[in-house]
Amino acid sequence: GDCAAVARAAWSAARTALEATPGQLPALSRAGVVDAGGYGLVTVLGALVAVLSGERPEAPSAERTGTPGPTPPADPSPDPADGGCEAPKEQPGPAYEVVYLLEAGDDAVAALRTRLDALGDSLVVVGGDGLWNVHVHVDDAGAAVEAGIEAGRPFRIRITHFGVQGGDRHTDRTPAHAPGRAAHRAVVAVVPGDGLAELCAAAGATTVTARPGEPPASGELAQALLRTGAPEAVLLPNDPELRHTAAAAAEQARAKGLRVAIIPTRSPVQGIAALAVHEPGRRFDEDVVAMTSAAGATRYGELCVAERQAWTTAGVCQAGDVLGLIEGDVALIGAQAADVAAAVLDRMLSAGGELVTLVVGTGAPEGLAEYLEDHVRRNHLAVDTLVHEGRQSGPLLIGVE
């Protein structure tokens, strides 16, 4: 009897606290809903009361009109306000999308991730070498920007209010007039070879080919974005050297009324990973988050041939040496492309991975892809390999997901 009384008292106090939550958080008040975690706790305590006393207390109302739950109440107690709050299934989530580029060090970004994770959801922070792309959904947009200011120098800040989208934002439904429909979003990808251009085009992207020593200018990228005719576009620079060019192109396109997001892809293999999860039927921000996450989860490597003697992070190389790069840094120096590529793969896969992507260039020796496929099959169980003919100038691009 005492246990049942304690459980009922706990349930009653929790329900009173739940009914007060819309007045404690502005986002809940605007949406007219109660706190989802509190709603769950009241439900659990109600189940405990039912087990201990045999009586099932009234569940929190499913609608603002005070419609009770499906089980008739054993001890009715009307809501003190307007007949109850909506069930949390209608909760639309955070009110704002905040996106900005950030110049900051690794330590500051680690602290930023922790702070933003506590402020909201859909958090993505990707990048490197001092430049980061930050994306988060929050109720307090000012706090998200202030966190960036404390971490470093945020710029190109964009804040979008979700109010126009209503409670439908966290569902898979896209209204017929919404800009997230397939015909209303384009992807523009910068690629270093004709084969990569064909691959990305087949995945639905508009491509801009970057020739060796001839990177595209911001005006060229802006024109490519605008020529798509779509009101929304996603830009994949696929090269760390193009980050400022891409940012300038996006600003030029935005000045013409185009909504643009830059996925900070640093290699074509990250671009391939982003395109693989691209779904134009999703809402814009959700598609950007998915593509950014896929790109950030893809480690990248590369084989190139040294043109002259030079100091590298792996020692001194001579003209003609094969260099194995991981995440942009020289990790290995060797004489044979196959040996260097296999060693790069082993090192990259030592951190784990399920899929290897090999993009073969014009400088690759014959049979290189087949040799590496066999190497992965023999030495790394349960790892799949995809091979693409990229026809870029270097021998090989490597991606590990």
Side-chain angles (χ1 to χ4, degrees):
D2 291 342
C3 289
V6 170
R8 180 172 287 281
W11 170 84
S12 179
R15 175 161 180 159
T16 300
L18 176 68
E19 291 162 352
T21 55
Q24 296 169 345
L25 189 63
L28 298 178
S29 178
R30 285 193 302 270
V33 297
V34 294
D35 179 73
Y39 184 95
L41 179 60
V42 171
T43 302
V44 171
L45 290 173
L48 180 62
V49 171
V51 169
L52 295 175
S53 68
E55 299 179 350
R56 182 178 297 276
E58 180 183 2
S61 298
E63 300 177 2
R64 287 194 69 88
T65 56
T67 304
T71 304
D75 181 20
S77 54
D79 291 332
D82 57 359
C85 301
E86 289 185 50
K89 64 184 178 63
E90 297 296 329
Q91 186 173 340
Y96 298 96
E97 174 194 36
V98 179
V99 179
Y100 51 83
L101 295 177
L102 177 70
E103 291 182 350
D106 291 358
D107 292 342
V109 168
L112 175 66
R113 281 194 177 98
T114 301
R115 181 167 177 185
L116 291 180
D117 188 50
L119 286 175
D121 60 26
S122 297
L123 174 63
V124 177
V125 181
V126 295
D129 295 338
L131 183 65
W132 308 83
N133 191 324
V134 180
H135 174 286
V136 67
H137 294 174
V138 292
D139 287 311
D140 190 343
V145 175
E146 288 170 7
I149 293 172
E150 292 182 7
R153 187 180 78 85
F155 59 102
R156 305 199 193 285
I157 300 168
R158 188 175 76 250
I159 299 173
T160 304
H161 185 247
F162 285 128
V164 296
Q165 297 177 357
D168 198 38
R169 185 169 68 84
H170 281 297
T171 74
D172 293 328
R173 301 188 302 276
T174 302
H177 63 276
R181 292 181 64 82
H184 294 273
R185 185 175 314 145
V187 177
V188 174
V190 181
V191 292
D194 296 338
L196 277 167
E198 294 170 4
L199 176 67
C200 292
T206 298
T207 61
V208 175
T209 302
R211 304 297 177 186
E214 300 178 14
S218 61
E220 182 181 357
L221 294 183
Q223 285 302 311
L225 290 165
L226 294 168
R227 279 198 304 267
T228 64
E232 297 177 344
V234 177
L235 178 58
L236 306 174
N238 295 335
D239 185 338
E241 299 298 322
L242 291 179
R243 64 188 188 188
H244 295 302
T245 302
E251 282 302 298
Q252 294 174 37
R254 288 177 187 134
K256 299 288 187 179
L258 181 64
R259 187 182 187 188
V260 183
I262 301 173
I263 309 296
T265 49
R266 302 165 63 81
S267 168
V269 293
Q270 290 188 325
I272 292 171
L275 275 171
V277 300
H278 168 55
E279 290 185 15
R282 276 192 294 229
R283 296 194 182 279
F284 185 79
D285 65 297
E286 293 171 349
D287 200 30
V288 169
V289 168
M291 295 177 73
T292 303
S293 298
T298 302
R299 300 188 300 281
Y300 62 95
E302 181 180 0
L303 253 61
C304 62
V305 179
E307 297 180 355
R308 59 185 179 277
Q309 184 185 57
W311 288 93
T312 77
T313 50
V316 179
C317 68
Q318 306 296 327
D321 282 348
V322 178
L323 308 181
L325 283 71
I326 299 177
E327 305 285 320
D329 293 324
V330 178
L332 296 160
I333 301 172
Q336 301 296 325
D339 294 338
V340 174
V344 167
L345 272 173
D346 289 342
R347 188 170 297 187
M348 294 178 71
L349 287 169
S350 67
E354 299 176 354
L355 176 65
V356 168
T357 300
L358 304 175
V359 181
V360 182
T362 55
E366 186 176 352
L368 177 63
E370 291 80 0
Y371 172 80
L372 295 175
E373 281 187 282
D374 183 63
H375 177 82
V376 172
R377 189 180 305 113
R378 287 185 290 105
N379 294 280
H380 302 280
L381 300 178
V383 176
D384 294 324
T385 304
L386 287 177
V387 178
H388 301 295
E389 291 292 332
R391 298 199 292 277
Q392 72 276 11
S393 61
L396 185 70
L397 299 173
I398 302 169
V400 173
E401 300 176 52

